[in-house]
Amino acid sequence: MKDHDLLLSVEGIDQTGKTQIVDAIERTLHGRSLPVHTVHDPPELDPWIFAQETWLDRENEMSPVGEAFVFLAARLDGVQRIIAPTLAEEHFVIADRYVDSWVAYHAPRLAGPLGSLVHAVAFLTELHERLSDAGLLPFPRLTWLIKDDPEEALQRKRGKPTKWENHEAQARVAETYDLLASAAVSIVGEAIASIDHCLAGPAGTPLSALRRIISHPMALAQCQDLLASLPGAVAEPYYNTALAARR
């Protein structure tokens, strides 16, 4: 796997200002008389524009596995039609999302079929590496990860949200980005450990009086039996368990 010196990317959850940052980098490079081209993911090419508008961004009948590989096909098509020819001309390419976004958005959805989030990240990352080794997927020399609170980021949304633009999905994407950013070495396995959860609230509150239970989506999933026994309470996902307690 080899990074390309002229390929840069900006990653992050939705509504974090990535596009504005990409535009600023483009203006800066143009200001130095350097040739630069910006790209988006999925690529702004047919048939991917139509596919994204009509079904990829909406709830559809496709399985998470099938949908993940449709997005991969879109990226590889964009590489062949835009990125590779532009790099061959020795122009800079600034990607508004690229390889990491595919892992960040689809690994949580593939955690079930592949056994866990860790296994899904490892599988998708290894697939990227194989494509890179085959010369089909150049890797960026540098990637900026823009971090933000998913709840605050979604408040900046204007217009109808896509199926990806909800708190639970964005919190899981943020978690996966953090996992990718912290992984200086390859993921080779996982360890299973017992986890004890505590349901915290005002002293003396009976379980029957609970109406909202706020925590990280993973913690809520691990406590699904308890939550099912509390029909009067609604589980509300939040991107951070400790910060959820402050609410």
Side-chain angles (χ1 to χ4, degrees):
M1 180 178 67
K2 186 178 184 299
D3 299 343
H4 199 290
D5 290 340
L6 299 179
L7 178 58
L8 311 172
S9 66
V10 178
E11 298 278 1
I13 62 173
D14 289 6
Q15 307 302 319
T16 54
K18 296 182 300 299
T19 300
Q20 291 85 345
I21 293 172
V22 168
D23 290 343
I25 296 172
E26 181 184 24
R27 289 194 301 270
T28 299
L29 293 177
H30 274 313
R32 298 181 181 182
S33 300
L34 295 171
V36 57
H37 189 91
T38 60
V39 295
H40 302 269
D41 189 62
E44 295 179 326
L45 298 169
D46 288 328
W48 308 115
I49 297 175
F50 176 78
Q52 183 176 15
E53 292 177 349
T54 56
W55 51 281
L56 285 178
D57 279 350
R58 303 180 182 181
E59 296 297 339
N60 59 66
E61 299 297 324
M62 184 173 291
S63 70
V65 174
E67 191 167 64
F69 280 86
V70 169
F71 273 92
L72 179 60
R75 174 173 298 112
L76 293 175
D77 188 42
V79 167
Q80 295 302 311
R81 294 167 64 183
I82 300 178
I83 295 177
T86 303
L87 293 175
E89 294 178 0
E90 297 188 349
H91 292 187
F92 278 96
V93 173
I94 316 297
D96 184 349
R97 289 194 176 137
Y98 190 48
V99 291
D100 291 330
S101 68
W102 185 61
V103 179
Y105 276 77
H106 293 282
R109 290 162 57 85
L110 298 182
L114 294 176
S116 70
L117 178 63
V118 170
H119 286 136
V121 169
F123 176 82
L124 298 183
T125 301
E126 181 180 357
L127 183 56
H128 269 165
E129 292 174 353
R130 288 180 176 270
L131 290 168
S132 178
D133 290 341
L136 300 176
L137 186 67
F139 269 52
R141 177 172 178 259
L142 182 64
T143 295
W144 291 275
L145 174 60
I146 312 303
K147 302 185 67 172
D148 202 349
D149 178 348
E151 185 173 6
E152 292 183 4
L154 287 173
Q155 291 177 1
R156 305 186 190 106
K157 174 65 179 178
R158 297 293 180 268
K160 185 178 180 181
T162 69
K163 70 180 181 185
W164 313 98
E165 292 172 319
N166 62 79
H167 186 275
E168 181 177 2
Q170 291 297 300
R172 298 183 73 192
V173 170
E175 178 186 10
T176 310
Y177 268 128
D178 286 343
L179 181 61
L180 289 170
S182 64
V185 296
S186 300
I187 299 172
V188 297
E190 64 177 341
I192 306 299
S194 176
I195 299 175
D196 294 324
H197 290 283
C198 176
L199 182 59
T205 303
L207 292 178
S208 59
L210 296 179
R211 295 295 177 264
R212 297 167 65 210
I213 298 177
I214 308 172
S215 190
H216 190 278
M218 187 61 68
L220 294 175
Q222 292 168 342
C223 298
Q224 56 184 337
D225 290 341
L226 171 64
L227 297 176
S229 70
L230 303 172
V234 175
E236 183 177 319
Y238 197 67
Y239 78 107
N240 183 291
T241 302
L243 294 180
R246 296 181 182 178
R247 300 183 64 191

